[in-house]
Amino acid sequence: MGYNPGSVRIESLVITSPLTGEWNATTNFLSCSILETIFTPGITAHIEVLDDSDMVGTMKVQGLETVTLAFTKVNDDLAFGLGDQTAKYYFHLNSIKEITPAGSNKTKTYQLNCISKESLLGRTFNVQQAYKAPISNIVEDVFTSMPFVRSDIAIEPTKGVRDLKLSSQPVFNAIEMLRKEAVSATFETSNYMFWQSMDSYHFKTLEYTVNQPPVKVLKQDFTVGQSISKSIDDNILAWKVIQSFDAMNRVKAGVVSQRVAVFDPNTLSYRLAPFAPNPLSAMGSWSYEEFRSIMGGPNSNRNVLTYRNPSNTIGIPKSNVPANIAEKQLNLAQMQEQLLRMRLIGDPILQAGSIVFCNIPNATSVVPDNEYPDPQASGKWLISKVEHEIKLAVNSPRYICNVECLKGAYSGVYQ
């Protein structure tokens, strides 16, 4: 039998109640949608199941349950030498919704709305602790203080020692505050994100993330007369550039007029920090100086006030935040310049925060094999959102990924 791209095998679907036991619903699985995004510290899922034995009623489902889902992407071993890839997710049952009955009173279809357990714990478990350590160390300690955590956390080191007191606040609230205060030990832009992928939680800067090697190289072959199996699962089924640039967003972000004024409590004076941006080059960059010149040049500066202590002589650790405000603003504006959406053959390796490399032919090219790629859509992209969608068994391809990607400003260079 030939290889069918998007084939998937449901390994297990188990709903467990601490009160009434376990329901192995593997054979009752119909479809699912799992969403990961770098903008949210948690994974959500919608799982449809067929209940032909009134298990929902028997278990007295009431939001105390955990849901474990595992599935395997079936690969073409002969063509690629790849083994099958298995993904496994652990959820808490957030709510349940009855869908249209399937023909009899005893057979019903339910949608299980799930959320990762850590996402709930992070909003209910409070932390109260004093720290004198780098923010990266504080984040790790705060995260691991939560009970029943299954996920690891990958953390990019931060610069400097901070003297902080966390006063009885939810873990995720504390990490959100720390995320905004963190300054990277390596990258000046220092825009930290806190999110969850299938593999782990992440506390990393955008620049660190975009400097990672791609997890997958994708391409789009000429489609006239071609079959879906020609390029197997690295073929882009559909794509669309949603946004190419946004000049107004640059202005709103203040990237052309940012000037930081730091108050020195020793001299009771302000010090104006120079604005010397270092545009993000790993994903492309726009002509900052030219754009700034048409927006008023240096005379359009606005001050951003900060009351951080800049001195190391009075025993208060230096925050390093003021010197990085301008870089943070410029980096955020750049990463919002381009937005690409793609529809791909499903693959567990496609996770929020991963990098993919796209080979998309130029619309005017008549040369095959992407010899003249589209200079805007091709190159490195950061996956900001990914939906793992497993459809009903009658669909082909059954397993697909709907991916939303970000890229630095359009530089006109294929990279």
Side-chain angles (χ1 to χ4, degrees), residues 11 67 90 94 154 178 267 271 280-281 301 316 377 393 413:
E11 303 290 357
V67 179
Y90 301 91
N94 186 54
L178 294 168
T267 62
R271 175 177 57 85
L280 179 71
S281 59
N301 281 329
I316 301 177
V413 179

Side-chain angles (χ1 to χ4, degrees), residues 117-257:
K117 185 71 174 288
E118 292 85 358
S119 187
L120 286 178
L121 288 172
R123 292 170 173 82
T124 58
F125 186 78
N126 282 12
V127 58
Q128 184 167 338
Q129 182 70 37
Y131 292 97
K132 193 170 185 178
I135 283 182
S136 50
N137 293 18
I138 300 174
V139 168
E140 181 176 21
D141 186 76
V142 168
F143 181 83
T144 55
S145 70
M146 294 189 299
F148 314 116
V149 172
R150 284 184 174 271
S151 180
D152 296 327
I153 183 168
I155 297 178
E156 179 189 345
T158 58
K159 178 166 61 176
V161 174
R162 300 298 303 275
D163 192 348
L164 295 171
K165 294 178 176 62
L166 303 178
S167 178
S168 190
Q169 55 185 300
V171 165
F172 279 12
N173 288 18
I175 294 179
E176 175 64 14
M177 181 271 291
L178 294 168
R179 181 185 72 82
K180 296 177 180 178
E181 293 281 311
V183 174
S184 171
T186 305
F187 300 104
E188 292 182 357
T189 52
S190 296
N191 280 305
Y192 275 83
M193 307 297 287
F194 177 54
W195 77 95
Q196 184 183 18
S197 67
M198 180 189 70
D199 289 340
S200 70
Y201 266 84
H202 304 267
F203 186 80
K204 301 174 183 175
T205 62
L206 288 171
E207 194 166 358
Y208 174 92
T209 304
V210 301
N211 275 280
Q212 301 308 300
V215 297
K216 194 166 188 177
V217 176
L218 304 167
K219 62 183 179 180
Q220 186 177 54
D221 285 331
F222 289 89
T223 56
V224 177
Q226 305 298 333
S227 67
I228 191 176
S229 60
K230 177 180 182 295
S231 299
I232 314 299
D233 68 351
D234 60 349
N235 195 40
I236 300 171
L237 303 180
W239 65 276
K240 183 177 183 181
V241 176
I242 304 300
Q243 179 173 292
S244 300
F245 61 87
D246 192 333
M248 180 59 75
N249 186 63
R250 298 177 193 171
V251 175
K252 288 181 178 179
V255 300
V256 298
S257 58

Side-chain angles (χ1 to χ4, degrees), residues 183-396:
V183 174
S184 171
T186 305
F187 300 104
E188 292 182 357
T189 52
S190 296
N191 280 305
Y192 275 83
M193 307 297 287
F194 177 54
W195 77 95
Q196 184 183 18
S197 67
M198 180 189 70
D199 289 340
S200 70
Y201 266 84
H202 304 267
F203 186 80
K204 301 174 183 175
T205 62
L206 288 171
E207 194 166 358
Y208 174 92
T209 304
V210 301
N211 275 280
Q212 301 308 300
V215 297
K216 194 166 188 177
V217 176
L218 304 167
K219 62 183 179 180
Q220 186 177 54
D221 285 331
F222 289 89
T223 56
V224 177
Q226 305 298 333
S227 67
I228 191 176
S229 60
K230 177 180 182 295
S231 299
I232 314 299
D233 68 351
D234 60 349
N235 195 40
I236 300 171
L237 303 180
W239 65 276
K240 183 177 183 181
V241 176
I242 304 300
Q243 179 173 292
S244 300
F245 61 87
D246 192 333
M248 180 59 75
N249 186 63
R250 298 177 193 171
V251 175
K252 288 181 178 179
V255 300
V256 298
S257 58
Q258 201 73 241
R259 187 169 62 175
V260 182
V262 181
F263 178 69
D264 189 334
N266 299 313
T267 62
L268 301 179
S269 63
Y270 289 95
R271 175 177 57 85
L272 292 178
F275 183 37
N278 178 28
L280 179 71
S281 59
M283 304 278 279
S285 59
W286 41 269
S287 301
Y288 163 76
E289 290 298 342
E290 287 80 357
F291 184 78
R292 189 186 188 200
S293 68
I294 67 173
M295 292 296 153
N299 296 322
S300 65
N301 281 329
R302 69 178 181 183
N303 289 343
V304 178
L305 299 180
T306 175
Y307 296 92
R308 306 280 195 271
N309 171 40
S311 175
N312 288 323
T313 63
I314 59 176
I316 301 177
K318 187 177 180 181
S319 72
N320 295 296
V321 172
N324 291 82
I325 289 178
E327 299 287 352
K328 283 173 174 281
Q329 293 295 99
L330 180 59
N331 177 238
L332 278 178
Q334 283 187 319
M335 288 306 298
Q336 297 174 53
E337 286 278 295
Q338 293 193 89
L339 177 63
L340 172 72
R341 288 177 183 160
M342 293 185 289
R343 192 173 181 85
L344 310 170
I345 296 294
D347 193 336
I349 202 172
L350 299 172
Q351 300 180 17
S354 297
I355 297 293
V356 292
F357 192 97
C358 296
N359 283 311
I360 297 176
N362 195 309
T364 60
S365 176
V366 294
V367 181
D369 299 325
N370 302 315
E371 185 173 338
Y372 296 101
D374 184 300
Q376 180 181 11
S378 297
K380 291 174 65 175
W381 290 87
L382 167 65
I383 297 178
S384 57
K385 295 180 183 179
V386 56
E387 179 195 25
H388 296 271
E389 183 180 2
I390 301 178
K391 302 180 181 182
L392 297 172
V394 296
N395 289 275
S396 182

